[in-house]
């Protein structure tokens, strides 16, 4: 019989300090509690699972991408993670800015080329 052990990556609270710009592990615990990230203890200290931390840390970005891009949010989020955002952006939808300004005088007509309508 073969026994497999699954390994879950851990992040200890002192590692998280600089990532969330805090000075004390108590502040990290508060951030974790507010972000719904469970804090565990072992003989080395207090830690969180890396996946839980990364999800909570990126959650504001995920919500923004969902509201802006709808169903394509996951593709764009993955591009953020790979630092490859330019490849997934759709530049074909760039709209040309139009103005409702109508030149009224001779000088305006010369400057702006007449009516833009």
């Amino acid at each position: 019989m073969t026994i497999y052990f699954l390994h879950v990556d851990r992040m200890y609270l002192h590692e998280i300090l600089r990532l969330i710009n805090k000075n004390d592990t108590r502040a990290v615990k508060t951030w974790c509690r507010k972000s719904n990230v469970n804090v565990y203890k072992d003989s080395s200290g207090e830690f969180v699972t890396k996946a839980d931390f990364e999800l909570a840390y990126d959650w504001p970005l995920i919500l923004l991408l969902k509201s802006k891009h709808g169903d394509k949010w996951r593709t764009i989020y993955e591009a953020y993670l790979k630092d490859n955002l330019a490849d997934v952006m759709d530049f074909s939808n760039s709209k040309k800015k139009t103005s409702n300004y109508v030149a009224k005088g001779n000088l305006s007509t010369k400057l702006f080329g007449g009516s833009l309508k």
Side-chain angles (χ1 to χ4, degrees):
M1 181 167 125
T2 305
I3 297 175
Y4 295 100
F5 291 102
L6 297 177
H7 175 54
V8 177
D9 289 332
R10 298 176 176 188
M11 290 184 72
Y12 288 89
L13 297 187
H14 67 275
E15 297 174 56
I16 299 173
L17 282 172
R18 64 178 173 77
L19 296 174
I20 62 172
N21 199 24
K22 301 294 182 191
N23 296 325
D24 189 9
T25 56
R26 291 176 295 177
V28 174
K29 284 184 196 179
T30 301
W31 183 90
C32 289
R33 187 178 62 250
K34 289 180 180 178
S35 301
N36 296 320
V37 176
N38 291 326
V39 178
Y40 306 98
K41 282 184 181 182
D42 68 2
S43 59
S44 299
E46 294 178 304
F47 67 93
V48 299
T49 61
K50 187 175 181 179
D52 285 346
F53 172 77
E54 288 176 348
L55 178 62
Y57 189 76
D58 290 346
W59 192 250
L61 173 63
I62 292 169
L63 292 177
L64 176 71
L65 293 176
K66 280 185 171 186
S67 68
K68 280 179 89 174
H69 301 287
D71 293 337
K72 290 177 55 178
W73 75 269
R74 188 180 305 261
T75 305
I76 295 170
Y77 177 65
E78 289 171 0
Y80 265 98
L81 294 177
K82 294 176 185 173
D83 198 23
N84 200 13
L85 194 57
D87 289 348
V88 296
M89 295 307 294
D90 185 16
F91 296 108
S92 63
N93 289 339
S94 299
K95 294 182 181 178
K96 204 175 196 180
K97 284 190 173 183
T98 58
S99 174
N100 293 332
Y101 176 73
V102 178
K104 295 181 180 176
N106 290 335
L107 181 59
S108 295
T109 304
K110 287 179 184 177
L111 288 173
F112 298 107
S115 175
L116 297 175
K117 285 187 175 182

